[in-house]
Amino acid sequence: MRSYALLSLVASALTGKVLADCFSTKLGYPCCTSTTQVVYTDNDGNWGVENNDWCGLNSCWANALGYPCCTSTTQVVFTDNDGNWGVENNDWCGLTNNGQQVSKTTTTIKKTTTTTQKPQQTQNVVDCSGKTLKSNTNLTINGRKVIVKFPNGYKGDKAVPLLINYHPIMGSASQWEGGSQTAKAALNDGAIVAFMDGAQGPMGQAWNVGPCCTDADDVTYTRNFIKEITQKACVDPKRIYAAGFSMGGGMSNYAGCYLSDVIAAAAPSAFDLAKEIVDSGKCKPSRPFPILNFRGTSDNVVMYNGGLSQVVPGKPITFMGAKNNLKEWAKMNGCTGSPKSNTPGNNCEMYENCNGGVKVGLCTINGGGHSEGDGKMGWDFLKQFTL
């Protein structure tokens, strides 16, 4: 059995930090000194956030294999040469001290290295038993309808991705379920797709993206839906995505600001972030967030170059503009260098050197109007990423 040194936080209180050094210092980020919450995990290790910046969390032996330490369970469900494994949040976690979990508040496990490979069966453990929702249905969340569509042949015996697809202003879930090419691509690829009804605003059903276009709490609405659908259907909680057209594109941009802990990536069409949200500093993704926007140069509803729109009575909104929207997402994701041209397709540009291995892109449709982008391209972008 390997030996691992437990470092007491009592000692850390005397030294003023958890460890003198950790993996993140070699990458230009500090070690976490007060938080223990994991908000992002990559091949380097577990990351937290302190003082509005990323910091490295000291890790345990399981992190060397790409898995977290157990924080609440002590049940051993699998044992190999690395040690004892438990399951939390539908994923494997490493147990220490003969089955005792790591306490987030009292101990830190020093990282070790190993070349042993984890069994292939542990890609993402989701228990499908008891999840009986397997065919097209309507749910009611916060008094609003959500249409849930399942791919052909879905048996409910394995976890699949979920695409949340937001409709345009004055639209509805019923209207949008037959009109989205991104939704069709996702269904054809074996994903579940959800079409949510927006709340009533001055111009019919719409979404609240800050200054416009309803007063509803669509962030909580989306969270409540995700909670219910993952309880009822065998959805992979690490592969939930957002897309949408027009006002729905605005909501899927907005989701990156407020829902990045539950949504893995977004592919919006024909809408930017609101300048009012960005300028006020309210867009603060909890982790690096992959996003690919589709915009038409001749869009006369959401202008490609941005600007003030007062179409919705009493709710003016200032669009960032396609290029500025791209730059803002690149900035928030710590992207460096120049975007790669014609990636993932012609007239697209993609930042590929971003924090956490995410990508940030813009596909411009020259002469294109107010319409949804390439659905297959959008879906192929989304499914690359997991939480």
Side-chain angles (χ1 to χ4, degrees):
M1 178 176 292
R2 297 182 177 91
S3 174
Y4 302 98
L6 293 183
L7 302 178
S8 171
L9 289 186
V10 174
S12 73
L14 297 176
T15 60
K17 56 183 177 180
V18 176
L19 284 178
D21 197 12
C22 63
F23 73 92
S24 62
T25 57
K26 297 177 182 179
L27 302 172
Y29 295 90
C31 303
C32 298
T33 59
S34 59
T35 186
T36 57
Q37 181 181 7
V38 178
V39 298
Y40 185 72
T41 300
D42 59 15
N43 291 333
D44 296 310
N46 289 332
W47 297 86
V49 174
E50 289 180 351
N51 302 318
N52 293 319
D53 198 6
W54 294 100
C55 60
L57 287 159
N58 293 296
S59 52
C60 69
W61 61 268
N63 295 144
L65 300 174
Y67 296 89
C69 304
C70 300
T71 59
S72 60
T73 186
T74 58
Q75 181 181 4
V76 178
V77 296
F78 185 78
T79 300
D80 60 12
N81 291 333
D82 294 310
N84 293 325
W85 297 87
V87 174
E88 288 180 350
N89 302 317
N90 292 320
D91 200 3
W92 293 99
C93 59
L95 288 158
T96 62
N97 291 347
N98 296 321
Q100 296 301 309
Q101 76 272 18
V102 178
S103 169
K104 285 186 176 180
T105 57
T106 60
T107 59
T108 302
I109 303 298
K110 189 173 181 180
K111 185 178 179 181
T112 64
T113 57
T114 179
T115 57
T116 304
Q117 297 297 310
K118 198 78 192 78
Q120 291 298 310
Q121 70 194 68
T122 64
Q123 180 178 2
N124 190 24
V125 182
V126 178
D127 184 3
C128 295
S129 62
K131 298 185 177 183
T132 58
L133 194 59
K134 301 176 183 179
S135 58
N136 296 351
T137 189
N138 293 347
L139 300 177
T140 300
I141 308 293
N142 292 23
R144 290 189 250 168
K145 181 174 67 177
V146 181
I147 298 174
V148 183
K149 299 190 74 171
F150 288 78
N152 290 332
Y154 179 74
K155 297 179 180 179
D157 57 348
K158 64 179 182 179
V160 299
L162 167 69
L163 173 67
I164 298 173
N165 203 315
Y166 297 101
H167 65 71
I169 194 170
M170 297 186 292
S172 67
S174 300
Q175 165 266 326
W176 188 229
E177 70 166 313
S180 172
Q181 296 303 311
T182 310
K184 290 178 181 178
L187 283 167
N188 289 339
D189 200 29
I192 298 170
V193 178
F195 303 89
M196 309 176 73
D197 263 342
Q200 289 292 329
M203 290 185 64
Q205 289 182 182
W207 307 101
N208 181 354
V209 295
C212 195
C213 294
T214 78
D215 297 321
D217 184 351
D218 291 318
V219 171
T220 298
Y221 173 43
T222 300
R223 287 188 184 279
N224 288 345
F225 165 68
I226 290 173
K227 181 178 180 180
E228 181 152 342
I229 193 66
T230 52
Q231 290 174 345
K232 292 183 174 181
C234 201
V235 170
D236 186 340
K238 293 189 176 182
R239 294 187 292 162
I240 298 176
Y241 308 103
F245 161 59
S246 188
M247 181 89 254
M251 186 61 202
S252 45
N253 265 287
Y254 197 70
C257 301
Y258 294 93
L259 292 161
S260 61
D261 60 316
V262 290
I263 291 179
S269 295
F271 214 95
D272 306 324
L273 284 171
K275 191 173 185 296
E276 291 84 355
I277 291 293
V278 173
D279 288 352
S280 64
K282 293 180 179 179
C283 185
K284 293 181 178 180
S286 63
R287 65 173 181 89
F289 187 74
I291 189 164
L292 175 63
N293 272 272
F294 294 89
R295 298 286 273 106
T297 57
S298 298
D299 191 334
N300 60 359
V301 178
V302 180
M303 298 74 68
Y304 186 83
N305 293 324
L308 177 66
S309 172
Q310 302 187 73
V311 172
V312 179
K315 291 188 176 295
I317 183 172
T318 308
F319 299 118
M320 294 283 294
K323 294 285 188 178
N324 286 334
N325 196 60
L326 172 67
K327 292 176 182 177
E328 190 61 38
W329 276 116
K331 177 183 176 182
M332 286 190 288
N333 282 298
C335 304
T336 59
S338 300
K340 187 177 179 180
S341 298
N342 296 322
T343 302
N346 290 335
N347 298 318
C348 297
E349 47 193 319
M350 186 80 73
Y351 285 95
E352 296 186 334
N353 296 317
C354 306
N355 290 342
V358 308
K359 298 178 182 180
V360 174
L362 167 66
C363 289
T364 297
I365 301 99
N366 290 327
H370 193 64
S371 60
E372 186 183 24
D374 187 316
K376 186 177 185 307
M377 187 183 295
W379 174 248
D380 286 346
F381 171 82
L382 291 173
K383 69 181 185 179
Q384 300 175 74
F385 303 100
T386 65
L387 288 176

